[in-house]
Amino acid sequence: MIKVLFVCTGNICRSPMADAVFQQMVKEAGLSDQISVDSAGTSSYHTGEAPHRGTQAVLRKHDIPYNGRARQFVRNDLTEFDYVLAMDNSNMYDIDAKVNDSTTAEVVMFLSYAHDKGMVDILEVPDPWYDGRFDETYDLVTKGCRALLDTIQGK
Ligand code: 4NP
């Protein structure tokens, strides 16, 4: 089983969106028994909460189910998961602070795969918590997930 974890700040806007979109792509590719998907937040501000209504609305619009609840990222995730994917530089900084000799995960920026394939020209997913631009988030998340799945399938 290949295990993928998406990490943002609150685990209510960007990472649950990526979690849901990627799970859907994995399912459509017939790989649900080979790739597992989860998400977490570097903060505990929203632990236990459902996604932000903006994320819920976008997922509903695209017929993508999600029933996860927010949880905080923990050091053990760095050995539990194969891929730990940061949404922005601040998330990467907080994840990096927990990296140690026992870390086995590949820890990278979520958009790095799409960036390497020329699909996007940025590495950070802007936070819709501040600007409300959930459709733009969805567009970036979809590209990032497509590139990630292509990368995993190519291995
Ligand atoms: P997310 O957005 O990291 O994409 O879930 C945020 C949600 C909440 C906060 C920050 C970012 N907050 O400060 O409460």
Side-chain angles (χ1 to χ4, degrees):
M1 184 71 93
I2 295 170
K3 300 181 74 175
V4 176
L5 182 70
F6 299 100
V7 182
C8 64
T9 307
N11 194 206
I12 54 166
C13 298
R14 295 164 294 174
S15 66
M17 194 187 293
D19 187 348
V21 166
F22 196 61
Q23 278 197 54
Q24 182 76 5
M25 279 183 192
V26 165
K27 187 177 170 197
E28 284 168 6
L31 296 171
S32 297
D33 58 343
Q34 290 173 56
I35 302 175
S36 77
V37 192
D38 194 7
S39 59
T42 55
S43 80
S44 62
Y45 305 148
H46 299 278
T47 294
E49 292 180 22
H52 187 285
R53 67 177 63 194
T55 285
Q56 291 197 38
V58 163
L59 292 176
R60 207 177 308 119
K61 184 155 93 184
H62 295 277
D63 269 327
I64 300 173
Y66 188 72
N67 51 27
R69 293 276 168 167
R71 74 162 175 96
Q72 189 170 17
F73 175 77
V74 292
R75 174 170 276 131
N76 193 47
D77 289 325
L78 291 164
T79 48
E80 194 58 35
F81 289 86
D82 299 294
Y83 293 86
V84 172
L85 307 170
M87 289 290 160
D88 65 28
N89 292 335
S90 141
N91 302 149
M92 182 56 100
Y93 182 87
D94 289 339
I95 295 166
D96 262 342
K98 290 194 158 61
V99 168
N100 63 19
D101 288 347
S102 58
T103 297
T104 49
E106 173 162 322
V107 182
V108 293
M109 295 294 283
F110 164 62
L111 284 183
S112 62
Y113 305 99
H115 189 269
D116 288 353
K117 292 176 192 291
M119 296 162 73
V120 298
D121 56 10
I122 53 175
L123 280 171
E124 298 186 279
V125 180
D127 199 337
W129 171 259
Y130 299 105
D131 64 16
R133 299 175 62 176
F134 287 87
D135 287 312
E136 283 77 1
T137 309
Y138 180 80
D139 184 53
L140 283 172
V141 159
T142 301
K143 287 175 177 160
C145 285
R146 176 59 57 204
L148 172 64
L149 187 58
D150 285 352
T151 301
I152 292 175
Q153 284 188 289
K155 280 189 177 164

PDB file of all heavy atoms in Angstrom, residues 65-91:
ATOM      1  N   PRO A  65     -17.252  12.956  -3.032  1.00  0.00           N
ATOM      2  CA  PRO A  65     -17.620  12.765  -1.626  1.00  0.00           C
ATOM      3  C   PRO A  65     -16.445  13.006  -0.680  1.00  0.00           C
ATOM      4  O   PRO A  65     -15.283  12.863  -1.073  1.00  0.00           O
ATOM      5  CB  PRO A  65     -18.049  11.289  -1.584  1.00  0.00           C
ATOM      6  CG  PRO A  65     -17.278  10.630  -2.688  1.00  0.00           C
ATOM      7  CD  PRO A  65     -17.077  11.676  -3.759  1.00  0.00           C
ATOM      8  N   TYR A  66     -16.747  13.388   0.547  1.00  0.00           N
ATOM      9  CA  TYR A  66     -15.719  13.509   1.593  1.00  0.00           C
ATOM     10  C   TYR A  66     -16.392  13.489   2.945  1.00  0.00           C
ATOM     11  O   TYR A  66     -17.346  14.223   3.180  1.00  0.00           O
ATOM     12  CB  TYR A  66     -14.921  14.821   1.452  1.00  0.00           C
ATOM     13  CG  TYR A  66     -13.733  14.873   2.391  1.00  0.00           C
ATOM     14  CD1 TYR A  66     -12.611  14.092   2.165  1.00  0.00           C
ATOM     15  CD2 TYR A  66     -13.755  15.691   3.530  1.00  0.00           C
ATOM     16  CE1 TYR A  66     -11.523  14.121   3.029  1.00  0.00           C
ATOM     17  CE2 TYR A  66     -12.670  15.720   4.397  1.00  0.00           C
ATOM     18  CZ  TYR A  66     -11.560  14.934   4.142  1.00  0.00           C
ATOM     19  OH  TYR A  66     -10.478  14.967   4.994  1.00  0.00           O
ATOM     20  N   ASN A  67     -15.891  12.666   3.841  1.00  0.00           N
ATOM     21  CA  ASN A  67     -16.477  12.697   5.177  1.00  0.00           C
ATOM     22  C   ASN A  67     -15.417  12.724   6.274  1.00  0.00           C
ATOM     23  O   ASN A  67     -15.681  12.350   7.403  1.00  0.00           O
ATOM     24  CB  ASN A  67     -17.471  11.543   5.386  1.00  0.00           C
ATOM     25  CG  ASN A  67     -16.858  10.207   5.000  1.00  0.00           C
ATOM     26  OD1 ASN A  67     -15.633  10.052   5.072  1.00  0.00           O
ATOM     27  ND2 ASN A  67     -17.670   9.257   4.584  1.00  0.00           N
ATOM     28  N   GLY A  68     -14.197  13.204   5.913  1.00  0.00           N
ATOM     29  CA  GLY A  68     -13.132  13.285   6.907  1.00  0.00           C
ATOM     30  C   GLY A  68     -13.330  14.441   7.885  1.00  0.00           C
ATOM     31  O   GLY A  68     -14.093  15.372   7.640  1.00  0.00           O
ATOM     32  N   ARG A  69     -12.639  14.333   9.002  1.00  0.00           N
ATOM     33  CA  ARG A  69     -12.645  15.384  10.032  1.00  0.00           C
ATOM     34  C   ARG A  69     -11.216  15.846  10.253  1.00  0.00           C
ATOM     35  O   ARG A  69     -10.273  15.057  10.120  1.00  0.00           O
ATOM     36  CB  ARG A  69     -13.198  14.815  11.347  1.00  0.00           C
ATOM     37  CG  ARG A  69     -14.664  14.453  11.261  1.00  0.00           C
ATOM     38  CD  ARG A  69     -15.507  15.679  11.516  1.00  0.00           C
ATOM     39  NE  ARG A  69     -16.906  15.452  11.175  1.00  0.00           N
ATOM     40  CZ  ARG A  69     -17.888  16.273  11.528  1.00  0.00           C
ATOM     41  NH1 ARG A  69     -17.604  17.368  12.226  1.00  0.00           N
ATOM     42  NH2 ARG A  69     -19.117  16.046  11.178  1.00  0.00           N
ATOM     43  N   ALA A  70     -11.053  17.108  10.631  1.00  0.00           N
ATOM     44  CA  ALA A  70      -9.707  17.670  10.789  1.00  0.00           C
ATOM     45  C   ALA A  70      -8.945  16.995  11.929  1.00  0.00           C
ATOM     46  O   ALA A  70      -9.505  16.695  12.985  1.00  0.00           O
ATOM     47  CB  ALA A  70      -9.808  19.168  11.045  1.00  0.00           C
ATOM     48  N   ARG A  71      -7.672  16.772  11.685  1.00  0.00           N
ATOM     49  CA  ARG A  71      -6.769  16.272  12.733  1.00  0.00           C
ATOM     50  C   ARG A  71      -5.430  16.978  12.592  1.00  0.00           C
ATOM     51  O   ARG A  71      -5.105  17.526  11.542  1.00  0.00           O
ATOM     52  CB  ARG A  71      -6.592  14.752  12.632  1.00  0.00           C
ATOM     53  CG  ARG A  71      -5.704  14.284  11.456  1.00  0.00           C
ATOM     54  CD  ARG A  71      -5.242  12.856  11.712  1.00  0.00           C
ATOM     55  NE  ARG A  71      -4.484  12.269  10.624  1.00  0.00           N
ATOM     56  CZ  ARG A  71      -3.145  12.245  10.566  1.00  0.00           C
ATOM     57  NH1 ARG A  71      -2.398  12.857  11.496  1.00  0.00           N
ATOM     58  NH2 ARG A  71      -2.535  11.649   9.555  1.00  0.00           N
ATOM     59  N   GLN A  72      -4.667  16.944  13.666  1.00  0.00           N
ATOM     60  CA  GLN A  72      -3.364  17.610  13.635  1.00  0.00           C
ATOM     61  C   GLN A  72      -2.284  16.650  13.143  1.00  0.00           C
ATOM     62  O   GLN A  72      -2.276  15.463  13.480  1.00  0.00           O
ATOM     63  CB  GLN A  72      -3.000  18.143  15.026  1.00  0.00           C
ATOM     64  CG  GLN A  72      -1.758  19.038  14.981  1.00  0.00           C
ATOM     65  CD  GLN A  72      -1.508  19.789  16.287  1.00  0.00           C
ATOM     66  OE1 GLN A  72      -2.050  19.437  17.333  1.00  0.00           O
ATOM     67  NE2 GLN A  72      -0.677  20.821  16.214  1.00  0.00           N
ATOM     68  N   PHE A  73      -1.364  17.195  12.347  1.00  0.00           N
ATOM     69  CA  PHE A  73      -0.196  16.457  11.882  1.00  0.00           C
ATOM     70  C   PHE A  73       0.677  16.092  13.088  1.00  0.00           C
ATOM     71  O   PHE A  73       0.871  16.902  13.982  1.00  0.00           O
ATOM     72  CB  PHE A  73       0.589  17.356  10.915  1.00  0.00           C
ATOM     73  CG  PHE A  73       1.885  16.769  10.447  1.00  0.00           C
ATOM     74  CD1 PHE A  73       1.909  15.787   9.468  1.00  0.00           C
ATOM     75  CD2 PHE A  73       3.087  17.202  10.982  1.00  0.00           C
ATOM     76  CE1 PHE A  73       3.102  15.232   9.043  1.00  0.00           C
ATOM     77  CE2 PHE A  73       4.285  16.661  10.562  1.00  0.00           C
ATOM     78  CZ  PHE A  73       4.298  15.680   9.594  1.00  0.00           C
ATOM     79  N   VAL A  74       1.186  14.839  13.094  1.00  0.00           N
ATOM     80  CA  VAL A  74       2.078  14.414  14.180  1.00  0.00           C
ATOM     81  C   VAL A  74       3.362  13.803  13.598  1.00  0.00           C
ATOM     82  O   VAL A  74       3.379  13.375  12.440  1.00  0.00           O
ATOM     83  CB  VAL A  74       1.399  13.361  15.105  1.00  0.00           C
ATOM     84  CG1 VAL A  74       0.261  13.984  15.902  1.00  0.00           C
ATOM     85  CG2 VAL A  74       0.904  12.152  14.301  1.00  0.00           C
ATOM     86  N   ARG A  75       4.413  13.766  14.397  1.00  0.00           N
ATOM     87  CA  ARG A  75       5.716  13.264  13.908  1.00  0.00           C
ATOM     88  C   ARG A  75       5.599  11.845  13.336  1.00  0.00           C
ATOM     89  O   ARG A  75       6.239  11.515  12.343  1.00  0.00           O
ATOM     90  CB  ARG A  75       6.762  13.299  15.037  1.00  0.00           C
ATOM     91  CG  ARG A  75       8.083  12.649  14.612  1.00  0.00           C
ATOM     92  CD  ARG A  75       9.201  12.877  15.615  1.00  0.00           C
ATOM     93  NE  ARG A  75       9.849  14.167  15.409  1.00  0.00           N
ATOM     94  CZ  ARG A  75      10.090  15.049  16.370  1.00  0.00           C
ATOM     95  NH1 ARG A  75       9.735  14.792  17.600  1.00  0.00           N
ATOM     96  NH2 ARG A  75      10.679  16.179  16.089  1.00  0.00           N
ATOM     97  N   ASN A  76       4.769  11.021  13.941  1.00  0.00           N
ATOM     98  CA  ASN A  76       4.605   9.640  13.487  1.00  0.00           C
ATOM     99  C   ASN A  76       4.141   9.555  12.029  1.00  0.00           C
ATOM    100  O   ASN A  76       4.388   8.560  11.343  1.00  0.00           O
ATOM    101  CB  ASN A  76       3.626   8.906  14.415  1.00  0.00           C
ATOM    102  CG  ASN A  76       3.654   7.410  14.189  1.00  0.00           C
ATOM    103  OD1 ASN A  76       4.724   6.811  14.122  1.00  0.00           O
ATOM    104  ND2 ASN A  76       2.486   6.810  14.030  1.00  0.00           N
ATOM    105  N   ASP A  77       3.478  10.623  11.536  1.00  0.00           N
ATOM    106  CA  ASP A  77       3.040  10.639  10.130  1.00  0.00           C
ATOM    107  C   ASP A  77       4.239  10.536   9.182  1.00  0.00           C
ATOM    108  O   ASP A  77       4.100  10.079   8.048  1.00  0.00           O
ATOM    109  CB  ASP A  77       2.260  11.929   9.822  1.00  0.00           C
ATOM    110  CG  ASP A  77       0.897  11.960  10.487  1.00  0.00           C
ATOM    111  OD1 ASP A  77       0.259  10.886  10.599  1.00  0.00           O
ATOM    112  OD2 ASP A  77       0.452  13.048  10.898  1.00  0.00           O
ATOM    113  N   LEU A  78       5.400  10.941   9.658  1.00  0.00           N
ATOM    114  CA  LEU A  78       6.600  10.937   8.809  1.00  0.00           C
ATOM    115  C   LEU A  78       7.191   9.538   8.633  1.00  0.00           C
ATOM    116  O   LEU A  78       8.077   9.333   7.807  1.00  0.00           O
ATOM    117  CB  LEU A  78       7.655  11.886   9.381  1.00  0.00           C
ATOM    118  CG  LEU A  78       7.274  13.368   9.286  1.00  0.00           C
ATOM    119  CD1 LEU A  78       8.141  14.221  10.196  1.00  0.00           C
ATOM    120  CD2 LEU A  78       7.390  13.851   7.835  1.00  0.00           C
ATOM    121  N   THR A  79       6.691   8.581   9.428  1.00  0.00           N
ATOM    122  CA  THR A  79       7.092   7.182   9.211  1.00  0.00           C
ATOM    123  C   THR A  79       5.899   6.370   8.707  1.00  0.00           C
ATOM    124  O   THR A  79       6.070   5.372   8.012  1.00  0.00           O
ATOM    125  CB  THR A  79       7.637   6.531  10.506  1.00  0.00           C
ATOM    126  OG1 THR A  79       6.723   6.805  11.567  1.00  0.00           O
ATOM    127  CG2 THR A  79       8.987   7.092  10.859  1.00  0.00           C
ATOM    128  N   GLU A  80       4.715   6.818   9.053  1.00  0.00           N
ATOM    129  CA  GLU A  80       3.471   6.116   8.686  1.00  0.00           C
ATOM    130  C   GLU A  80       3.156   6.254   7.193  1.00  0.00           C
ATOM    131  O   GLU A  80       2.614   5.340   6.580  1.00  0.00           O
ATOM    132  CB  GLU A  80       2.340   6.725   9.528  1.00  0.00           C
ATOM    133  CG  GLU A  80       1.058   5.945   9.564  1.00  0.00           C
ATOM    134  CD  GLU A  80       1.231   4.525  10.083  1.00  0.00           C
ATOM    135  OE1 GLU A  80       2.060   4.285  10.985  1.00  0.00           O
ATOM    136  OE2 GLU A  80       0.546   3.659   9.553  1.00  0.00           O
ATOM    137  N   PHE A  81       3.497   7.429   6.618  1.00  0.00           N
ATOM    138  CA  PHE A  81       3.133   7.711   5.217  1.00  0.00           C
ATOM    139  C   PHE A  81       4.364   7.663   4.307  1.00  0.00           C
ATOM    140  O   PHE A  81       5.491   7.914   4.747  1.00  0.00           O
ATOM    141  CB  PHE A  81       2.449   9.083   5.120  1.00  0.00           C
ATOM    142  CG  PHE A  81       1.066   9.070   5.715  1.00  0.00           C
ATOM    143  CD1 PHE A  81       0.885   9.278   7.081  1.00  0.00           C
ATOM    144  CD2 PHE A  81      -0.045   8.803   4.926  1.00  0.00           C
ATOM    145  CE1 PHE A  81      -0.383   9.227   7.649  1.00  0.00           C
ATOM    146  CE2 PHE A  81      -1.315   8.753   5.483  1.00  0.00           C
ATOM    147  CZ  PHE A  81      -1.483   8.958   6.849  1.00  0.00           C
ATOM    148  N   ASP A  82       4.122   7.352   3.025  1.00  0.00           N
ATOM    149  CA  ASP A  82       5.199   7.341   2.028  1.00  0.00           C
ATOM    150  C   ASP A  82       5.423   8.727   1.441  1.00  0.00           C
ATOM    151  O   ASP A  82       6.545   9.087   1.099  1.00  0.00           O
ATOM    152  CB  ASP A  82       4.854   6.358   0.900  1.00  0.00           C
ATOM    153  CG  ASP A  82       4.696   4.943   1.429  1.00  0.00           C
ATOM    154  OD1 ASP A  82       5.709   4.388   1.890  1.00  0.00           O
ATOM    155  OD2 ASP A  82       3.569   4.417   1.424  1.00  0.00           O
ATOM    156  N   TYR A  83       4.327   9.478   1.300  1.00  0.00           N
ATOM    157  CA  TYR A  83       4.401  10.842   0.766  1.00  0.00           C
ATOM    158  C   TYR A  83       3.735  11.796   1.749  1.00  0.00           C
ATOM    159  O   TYR A  83       2.575  11.584   2.111  1.00  0.00           O
ATOM    160  CB  TYR A  83       3.657  10.960  -0.576  1.00  0.00           C
ATOM    161  CG  TYR A  83       4.279  10.183  -1.709  1.00  0.00           C
ATOM    162  CD1 TYR A  83       3.957   8.839  -1.902  1.00  0.00           C
ATOM    163  CD2 TYR A  83       5.167  10.789  -2.588  1.00  0.00           C
ATOM    164  CE1 TYR A  83       4.520   8.111  -2.947  1.00  0.00           C
ATOM    165  CE2 TYR A  83       5.736  10.080  -3.632  1.00  0.00           C
ATOM    166  CZ  TYR A  83       5.403   8.740  -3.808  1.00  0.00           C
ATOM    167  OH  TYR A  83       5.957   8.037  -4.843  1.00  0.00           O
ATOM    168  N   VAL A  84       4.468  12.820   2.174  1.00  0.00           N
ATOM    169  CA  VAL A  84       3.898  13.875   3.014  1.00  0.00           C
ATOM    170  C   VAL A  84       4.029  15.165   2.212  1.00  0.00           C
ATOM    171  O   VAL A  84       5.141  15.610   1.898  1.00  0.00           O
ATOM    172  CB  VAL A  84       4.617  13.976   4.378  1.00  0.00           C
ATOM    173  CG1 VAL A  84       4.142  15.196   5.153  1.00  0.00           C
ATOM    174  CG2 VAL A  84       4.374  12.700   5.191  1.00  0.00           C
ATOM    175  N   LEU A  85       2.878  15.733   1.832  1.00  0.00           N
ATOM    176  CA  LEU A  85       2.847  16.806   0.839  1.00  0.00           C
ATOM    177  C   LEU A  85       2.365  18.114   1.446  1.00  0.00           C
ATOM    178  O   LEU A  85       1.214  18.203   1.927  1.00  0.00           O
ATOM    179  CB  LEU A  85       1.935  16.371  -0.315  1.00  0.00           C
ATOM    180  CG  LEU A  85       2.339  14.993  -0.887  1.00  0.00           C
ATOM    181  CD1 LEU A  85       1.287  14.481  -1.859  1.00  0.00           C
ATOM    182  CD2 LEU A  85       3.704  15.069  -1.557  1.00  0.00           C
ATOM    183  N   ALA A  86       3.232  19.123   1.425  1.00  0.00           N
ATOM    184  CA  ALA A  86       2.933  20.418   2.056  1.00  0.00           C
ATOM    185  C   ALA A  86       2.269  21.365   1.063  1.00  0.00           C
ATOM    186  O   ALA A  86       2.689  21.478  -0.084  1.00  0.00           O
ATOM    187  CB  ALA A  86       4.224  21.045   2.577  1.00  0.00           C
ATOM    188  N   MET A  87       1.236  22.064   1.521  1.00  0.00           N
ATOM    189  CA  MET A  87       0.512  23.004   0.660  1.00  0.00           C
ATOM    190  C   MET A  87       1.245  24.336   0.479  1.00  0.00           C
ATOM    191  O   MET A  87       1.113  24.969  -0.566  1.00  0.00           O
ATOM    192  CB  MET A  87      -0.884  23.269   1.229  1.00  0.00           C
ATOM    193  CG  MET A  87      -1.808  22.093   1.090  1.00  0.00           C
ATOM    194  SD  MET A  87      -2.262  21.806  -0.632  1.00  0.00           S
ATOM    195  CE  MET A  87      -2.801  20.117  -0.551  1.00  0.00           C
ATOM    196  N   ASP A  88       1.967  24.786   1.519  1.00  0.00           N
ATOM    197  CA  ASP A  88       2.713  26.045   1.360  1.00  0.00           C
ATOM    198  C   ASP A  88       4.017  26.003   2.159  1.00  0.00           C
ATOM    199  O   ASP A  88       4.309  25.020   2.853  1.00  0.00           O
ATOM    200  CB  ASP A  88       1.851  27.282   1.692  1.00  0.00           C
ATOM    201  CG  ASP A  88       1.424  27.345   3.153  1.00  0.00           C
ATOM    202  OD1 ASP A  88       2.143  26.815   4.022  1.00  0.00           O
ATOM    203  OD2 ASP A  88       0.361  27.947   3.437  1.00  0.00           O
ATOM    204  N   ASN A  89       4.797  27.071   2.028  1.00  0.00           N
ATOM    205  CA  ASN A  89       6.127  27.096   2.654  1.00  0.00           C
ATOM    206  C   ASN A  89       6.049  27.031   4.174  1.00  0.00           C
ATOM    207  O   ASN A  89       6.902  26.431   4.820  1.00  0.00           O
ATOM    208  CB  ASN A  89       6.881  28.362   2.237  1.00  0.00           C
ATOM    209  CG  ASN A  89       7.244  28.341   0.760  1.00  0.00           C
ATOM    210  OD1 ASN A  89       7.358  27.270   0.158  1.00  0.00           O
ATOM    211  ND2 ASN A  89       7.412  29.512   0.171  1.00  0.00           N
ATOM    212  N   SER A  90       5.034  27.658   4.730  1.00  0.00           N
ATOM    213  CA  SER A  90       4.899  27.651   6.182  1.00  0.00           C
ATOM    214  C   SER A  90       4.563  26.241   6.683  1.00  0.00           C
ATOM    215  O   SER A  90       5.090  25.781   7.707  1.00  0.00           O
ATOM    216  CB  SER A  90       3.852  28.702   6.586  1.00  0.00           C
ATOM    217  OG  SER A  90       3.059  28.258   7.614  1.00  0.00           O
ATOM    218  N   ASN A  91       3.726  25.526   5.939  1.00  0.00           N
ATOM    219  CA  ASN A  91       3.427  24.135   6.287  1.00  0.00           C
ATOM    220  C   ASN A  91       4.702  23.293   6.193  1.00  0.00           C
ATOM    221  O   ASN A  91       4.964  22.453   7.059  1.00  0.00           O
ATOM    222  CB  ASN A  91       2.369  23.539   5.352  1.00  0.00           C
ATOM    223  CG  ASN A  91       1.058  24.298   5.329  1.00  0.00           C
ATOM    224  OD1 ASN A  91       0.374  24.319   4.311  1.00  0.00           O
ATOM    225  ND2 ASN A  91       0.692  24.939   6.433  1.00  0.00           N
TER     226      ASN A  91
END
